[in-house]
Amino acid sequence: MSLTFLLIDDDEVERLKFARVLQKNGYTHKLIEAKNGEEALQHLENKEQLPDLILLDLNMPKMNGLEFLKILKSDAALKYIPAVILSTSNNHSDLKGCYEIGITGYIVKPLKYQDYEYKIKCLVEYWSINDLVQL
């Protein structure tokens, strides 16, 4: 199954790293990138091309990840899109707050590229076999 990922991260290196893992492993999934929550919401206005999975950093300018999640989960058309946090924060209050809002996963970005690649491969493989709500 081919998926569409919406990756929301203000760090260009992180966006390139994620795309590299997809390419290096031969994944043919579509990747849409946004630099912050506001940009992501603009993309989500087009209800005809919604992503299958949202991957979200927490610490971003303009609109941070928690602010974005609150808007996402309060929208009747968007709340079913699974959202997974990809963050450097291993703060328990961040983790708890995200799950309270309704995320489907929380991954702490490891420093070593090999560890990062392993986690992203597991994430992609997991969501590739899931049944997702089609809106």
Side-chain angles (χ1 to χ4, degrees), residues 68-118:
F68 172 83
L69 278 172
K70 288 174 184 171
I71 294 168
L72 179 78
K73 294 303 178 182
S74 67
D75 185 300
L78 302 176
K79 68 182 179 181
Y80 297 104
I81 302 172
V84 174
I85 303 299
L86 285 176
S87 180
T88 55
S89 173
N90 60 3
N91 183 317
H92 181 73
S93 64
D94 285 342
L95 177 72
K96 186 176 179 219
C98 289
Y99 275 109
E100 285 172 353
I101 294 170
I103 62 163
T104 52
Y106 193 106
I107 296 174
V108 176
K109 298 177 201 171
L111 295 175
K112 287 178 57 183
Y113 178 78
Q114 293 82 1
D115 295 339
Y116 175 85
E117 181 179 24
Y118 173 76

Side-chain angles (χ1 to χ4, degrees), residues 21-58:
V21 172
L22 293 182
Q23 179 192 24
K24 181 180 174 188
N25 290 282
Y27 296 123
T28 58
H29 305 298
K30 181 178 179 184
L31 179 60
I32 301 162
E33 298 178 7
K35 296 178 182 85
N36 57 59
E38 287 180 0
E39 194 176 299
L41 287 174
Q42 288 173 354
H43 175 77
L44 293 171
E45 286 175 4
N46 181 357
K47 303 291 192 245
E48 301 298 315
Q49 296 182 2
L50 293 175
D52 297 300
L53 181 67
I54 295 173
L55 305 157
L56 174 67
D57 188 24
L58 287 181

Side-chain angles (χ1 to χ4, degrees), residues 6-20:
L6 173 57
L7 175 62
I8 310 167
D9 197 317
D10 62 313
D11 187 336
E12 183 179 3
V13 171
E14 291 296 327
R15 295 191 311 271
L16 289 169
K17 200 163 65 168
F18 188 89
R20 180 178 176 210

